[in-house]
Amino acid sequence: MKTKLSLLVIVAWALSITALPSVASASCSFADIHFSSDFDSGRLDGCEQTASNSYTLTLKPENTPINPSPWYAFQVTNQSETAQTITITLLSDGAPARYQPRISSDKQNWQPVPYEKDQQQMQFQVTVTDTVYVAGGEIIDTSFYPSWLAELAPTALITLGESSQGRPIHALEHRVDGSADWLVIIGRQHPPEVTGALALVHFSQLLFSDDTAMRVFRQRYNILLVPMVNPDGVAAGNWRHNANGVDLNRDWKRRSQAETQAVHAKLTAITAAGGRIRLALDFHSTWRDVFYTMTADYVTVSGEPLQQPQLVNDWLTALANELAMPIENKPSHNPNSGVFKQYIADQFGVHGVTYEVGDQTDREHIKRSAEAALTTLIKQLFPDY
C-alpha cells in the first residue's frame, strides 16, 4: 500500500485542564474517515469534524499537575475508494506540541512527517489511502518487551512483580557464578519517551549479543534489565504517570507505588545476598541528548562518599572521544527529589545515571551512540578486560 503524506495538524494550547483519573480510548466515525486509539499505547481523547475534510482531535493528560508531554497515537481509516487528504487539529490541554509526528501502515516501519511548528502549533501533511497510524513517535507497546527479552536471553527472563493494574513487570536477570558485581538498567518510567526506549533496546541488544567483548563482560558481571517499569502508563498512552497518576521517577524516595516497590525489592534482595551494584542506568527522552549524573564528590545520606567517584566522568569522557563529539554531562544531587539516580546513590552508594535522548535525535545516531556508550562503559567497569 502506498501512503502519500498530506495532513495538516495544529497542536494548540487550552486554557485549563480537567483532571482525569483514567482515560478511555476514543473512537470516532464520520462519513468516510474513522479515528481510533483502541490499541495498546493508543491515545486520543475526543474528535470533532469541523469542515468537510477537517477534524479536531483532543488530547488530555491522565491527571494534573503533570509534566506537559502530550502523547498521541491513533489509527486513521479511509473508508472511501479514493485517497483523501484531511486536515487535523490536535488540541492539547495545557501543553504545546513536543513529539514530532510519525506515520506507519503497520506499526512497525515508521517515517517522520515533515512539519512546521512554533511555540503553540505543529503543522504536517498526510494523505490517507486506506489505513495509517499517526503517533508522536514509534509505537513500542507492552507486547514488545516480553518477546524481545525472551529473544535476548530466554533463560534469564523473570517477572519482578505486578504493576498497579496487575500487569507483569518483565526483566532479565543474568547471573554469573562467583561474581558479586551488578549492572542495573531500567527504562520506560515515562511512557511516551520513545527515543530513550530505542537507546535502551540498542544498548541491550549489543550487551546480550555474541560480540566477544560482550561475552567476556557477561562472564564477569551480573545484569538486571527492567526495560518497562511503567507498563500501565505505556498501555494507556499516558503522558507521564502510572495508572495512579504518579510520576514514578519522583517516587523512589517514598516508593509508594507497586512499580517502584517491585524494583526496590529486587535490588535490596541482590545486595542482601552479597551482590554489589556498581552502576545503574535509567533511560529517558527529553529535548536534547544529555546525561544527568551525580556529582563526583557527593556524600550519601549515610555520610559515605560514592564508590568509584570518577567512574561516570571517566566513562563520558571516553564516550566523547569515541564519538568524536561533545557529550553533555549535567551533574547534580537532591536527596529529596525522588529520582532514580539519586535513589541509587543514597541507597547503594554508587553512581546512578539518567541517560536522556533527544526527542528528535536521528535514529541512526541513537543506535551508534548507545553502542558506543556500552563499549566504553564496560572498559570502565571491567578495566582488566
Side-chain angles (χ1 to χ4, degrees), residues 111-359:
Q111 296 298 323
V113 178
Y115 72 101
E116 295 180 356
K117 79 168 189 174
D118 57 27
Q119 187 178 10
Q120 294 186 358
Q121 69 179 22
M122 175 185 294
Q123 296 181 336
F124 61 92
Q125 294 185 324
V126 168
T127 293
V128 183
T129 302
D130 184 7
T131 297
V132 297
Y133 293 88
V134 179
E138 296 88 338
I139 294 175
I140 307 175
D141 63 21
T142 60
S143 68
F144 168 81
Y145 290 99
S147 57
W148 173 66
L149 290 173
E151 290 176 1
L152 283 186
T155 60
L157 183 62
I158 63 170
T159 300
L160 297 188
E162 292 185 345
S163 67
S164 299
Q165 292 183 332
R167 290 183 175 87
I169 301 173
H170 297 289
L172 284 187
E173 183 182 30
H174 167 77
R175 284 185 174 269
V176 181
D177 290 341
S179 173
D181 293 332
W182 284 81
L183 171 63
V184 175
I185 305 163
I186 74 167
R188 290 306 279 278
Q189 294 200 71
H190 298 149
E193 296 181 2
V194 170
T195 55
L198 291 171
L200 180 148
V201 166
H202 293 310
F203 187 97
S204 303
Q205 202 81 31
L206 178 57
L207 178 60
F208 284 92
S209 73
D210 289 331
D211 178 89
T212 301
M214 301 305 146
R215 290 202 309 268
V216 172
F217 181 76
R218 294 198 308 272
Q219 292 168 1
R220 173 66 178 80
Y221 261 78
N222 303 286
I223 302 164
L224 180 68
L225 169 60
V226 192
M228 183 177 57
V229 176
N230 186 1
D232 296 343
V234 172
N238 282 356
W239 291 17
R240 184 81 169 181
H241 298 158
N242 73 346
N244 294 328
V246 174
D247 184 339
L248 294 181
N249 203 33
R250 301 296 183 272
D251 189 54
W252 290 98
K253 185 174 183 179
R254 293 187 305 144
R255 298 188 292 279
S256 67
Q257 300 301 298
E259 298 86 352
T260 52
Q261 291 168 8
V263 176
H264 173 70
K266 184 62 181 179
L267 296 180
T268 54
I270 286 171
T271 56
R276 298 186 298 263
I277 296 170
R278 293 303 194 186
L279 179 70
L281 302 178
D282 179 18
F283 284 79
H284 286 263
S285 304
T286 189
W287 303 100
R288 67 194 191 282
D289 295 349
V290 59
F291 291 85
Y292 291 112
T293 62
M294 297 300 297
T295 51
D297 60 354
Y298 178 66
V299 177
T300 70
V301 292
S302 65
E304 297 295 326
L306 289 179
Q307 301 171 31
Q308 297 180 278
Q310 293 301 323
L311 170 66
V312 169
N313 287 339
D314 291 344
W315 167 43
L316 296 182
T317 298
L319 177 59
N321 292 335
E322 178 71 18
L323 293 174
M325 61 179 291
I327 296 295
E328 187 174 1
N329 178 4
K330 298 285 288 184
S332 66
H333 58 269
N334 181 349
N336 295 315
S337 64
V339 300
F340 182 72
K341 75 178 182 75
Q342 182 74 47
Y343 155 80
I344 288 293
D346 285 328
Q347 190 77 27
F348 305 104
V350 299
H351 280 282
V353 176
T354 309
Y355 185 133
E356 298 268 13
V357 183
D359 295 330

Side-chain angles (χ1 to χ4, degrees), residues 31-79:
D32 294 316
I33 298 296
H34 178 78
F35 297 95
S36 176
S37 61
D38 190 17
F39 53 87
D40 193 306
S41 296
R43 188 58 176 245
L44 178 62
D45 297 287
C47 5
E48 177 186 3
Q49 185 169 11
T50 55
S52 59
N53 290 306
S54 298
Y55 304 87
T56 296
L57 309 183
T58 56
L59 306 174
K60 296 181 180 180
E62 53 270 21
N63 64 300
T64 58
I66 195 168
N67 180 293
S69 302
W71 169 255
Y72 55 94
F74 52 87
Q75 181 187 64
V76 187
T77 301
N78 176 12
Q79 297 172 323

Side-chain angles (χ1 to χ4, degrees), residues 7-11 87-90 121-125:
L7 158 76
L8 175 66
V9 175
I10 300 175
V11 180
T87 299
I88 292 180
T89 301
L90 290 181
Q121 69 179 22
M122 175 185 294
Q123 296 181 336
F124 61 92
Q125 294 185 324

